[in-house]
Amino acid sequence: EDQVTQSPEALRLQEGESSSLNCSYTVSGLRGLFWYRQDPGKGPEFLFTLYSAGEEKEKERLKATLTKKESFLHITAPKPEDSATYLCAVRGGYQKVTFGTGTKLQVIP
Amino acid sequence: ETGVTQSPTHLIKTRGQQVTLRCSSQSGHNTVSWYQQALGQGPQFIFQYYREEENGRGNFPPRFSGLQFPNYSSELNVNALELDDSALYLCASSGRATEAFFGQGTRLTVV
């Protein structure tokens, strides 16, 4: 069965303090690894899709990378508005999408 | 804004009742998927519809069923509601690319 494990569960950073979030996965036939951001009470907001090991994507202060077993979301010089829960998900066979439980990020001014 | 809209935003039902949740997909998207998200958890995949046919399903019992209409909007039906069905129900739509765009969700409370 496909599995996604995210760490840490929660992360508290000072504004400007860079860090990385981890997503470890096992999936039969990876058809995409996704990163989303979710604010309380709202639907997830799409950030990135990665398809193969070695792939990297960037958007503003965020950079996502992918290996055969894990993905990292690097946050450079975060701001308070980056505070949210970051979700990782994989799409495997039969179109099934499996999400992790997320990393709750708090950025303190 | 993603262009994916869900209704209603909040709903309270009694155990044993049936509920229908609705989703309008983003323009140009022909695939809709539904998720259940309990408090503090990641979304759990319920099923996916592509061009009106179910083409993927998670580990949910048959009392969770769905429909997709010719305009690609969708419904999620849940029969015989249980207390554990209380959650945020999310709809997501996607097109030729695999990434999905989510609506704001329907908060269902079963009492």
Side-chain angles (χ1 to χ4, degrees):
Chain A
E1 187 164 320
D2 300 343
Q3 285 191 324
V4 175
T5 303
Q6 292 188 245
S7 62
E9 290 185 7
L11 183 62
R12 198 174 185 202
L13 299 173
Q14 290 291 131
E15 184 172 1
E17 180 186 1
S18 301
S19 188
S20 296
L21 312 183
N22 178 263
C23 170
S24 298
Y25 66 91
T26 55
V27 63
S28 52
L30 180 69
R31 298 184 183 186
L33 182 141
F34 311 98
W35 282 98
Y36 287 87
R37 167 198 170 123
Q38 187 173 28
D39 293 304
K42 296 190 176 182
E45 174 189 343
F46 172 76
L47 295 174
F48 302 109
T49 306
L50 302 167
Y51 291 102
S52 56
E55 191 174 357
E56 299 182 353
K57 288 194 177 172
E58 286 189 67
K59 179 181 178 180
E60 296 179 355
R61 295 178 292 282
L62 300 176
K63 179 180 176 180
T65 62
L66 181 65
T67 72
K68 288 186 177 180
K69 294 184 178 180
E70 57 191 352
S71 177
F72 292 93
L73 184 66
H74 307 278
I75 303 177
T76 302
K79 298 181 177 182
E81 53 263 41
D82 294 324
S83 297
T85 295
Y86 289 85
L87 295 164
C88 172
V90 295
R91 185 186 294 276
Y94 303 104
Q95 305 299 325
K96 185 176 178 182
V97 177
T98 302
F99 274 83
T101 53
T103 293
K104 187 173 183 179
L105 174 66
Q106 183 183 15
V107 182
I108 304 161
Chain B
E1 294 295 325
T2 63
V4 179
T5 58
Q6 294 186 240
S7 63
T9 55
H10 296 83
L11 198 54
I12 299 175
K13 287 287 191 177
T14 303
R15 189 172 51 182
Q17 285 188 316
Q18 178 265 345
V19 69
T20 298
L21 310 182
R22 294 179 174 83
C23 172
S24 295
S25 59
Q26 187 168 317
S27 177
H29 286 182
N30 55 19
T31 302
V32 172
S33 48
W34 286 91
Y35 297 80
Q36 179 194 69
Q37 187 175 25
L39 208 58
Q41 301 296 314
Q44 298 290 313
F45 178 70
I46 302 175
F47 44 57
Q48 177 175 286
Y49 278 82
Y50 170 68
R51 293 187 175 182
E52 303 178 59
E53 297 284 334
E54 184 182 299
N55 74 336
R57 191 176 182 94
N59 300 325
F60 280 81
R63 60 189 184 86
F64 286 78
S65 62
L67 282 173
Q68 187 181 30
F69 300 100
N71 65 355
Y72 303 131
S73 66
S74 178
E75 287 182 354
L76 165 66
N77 299 290
V78 187
N79 293 322
L81 283 166
E82 302 176 358
L83 297 179
D84 285 349
D85 295 333
S86 295
L88 181 68
Y89 287 85
L90 295 162
C91 165
S93 75
S94 53
R96 296 180 66 85
T98 58
E99 54 262 21
F101 296 89
F102 284 83
Q104 80 282 10
T106 293
R107 172 70 64 187
L108 173 65
T109 302
V110 182
V111 297

